[in-house]
Amino acid sequence: MMVGFMASRTGRWTRMLAGAGMVLGGLASGSPRGKWLALTGLVPLLAGAFDVCLFGPLVGLPVSGEAIRRKVGLIGEDSLLPHPPMALTERPALLH
């Protein structure tokens, strides 16, 4: 399902990178059309960053990415980074 992919970690990164590309490309052009492209690029950039999927309601799913992942069954993909770093006290000691 496309909305399930968009709510996943990979889908969020894809939306943020595509939005950033639109923003940078639009600003680099320097034209009024480019400014509109940059403003339009803010939508996928911010939606991916804030874990919002605007296409969810179109297929009967919620807007929140967390709620979509729960309904679709994508457990463990809440953060944008695969594994949060461990605290220094929890890291295993090197054995020599």
Side-chain angles (χ1 to χ4, degrees), residues 60-62 66-75:
L61 292 171
E66 182 181 357
I68 292 173
R69 284 189 297 276
R70 216 176 304 124
K71 282 193 174 220
V72 176
L74 293 172
I75 306 299

Side-chain angles (χ1 to χ4, degrees), residues 10-87:
T10 306
R12 289 176 65 194
W13 277 109
T14 303
R15 288 186 288 153
M16 288 190 311
L17 291 174
M22 290 171 66
V23 169
L24 291 175
L27 292 177
S29 74
S31 67
R33 259 184 157 168
K35 290 178 184 177
W36 280 108
L37 180 65
L39 282 174
T40 305
L42 285 176
V43 174
L45 176 66
L46 294 175
F50 290 116
D51 199 12
V52 174
C53 185
L54 300 175
F55 292 113
L58 295 175
V59 293
L61 292 171
V63 174
S64 167
E66 182 181 357
I68 292 173
R69 284 189 297 276
R70 216 176 304 124
K71 282 193 174 220
V72 176
L74 293 172
I75 306 299
E77 291 203 16
D78 291 341
S79 68
L80 284 173
L81 300 176
H83 300 286
M86 294 172 63

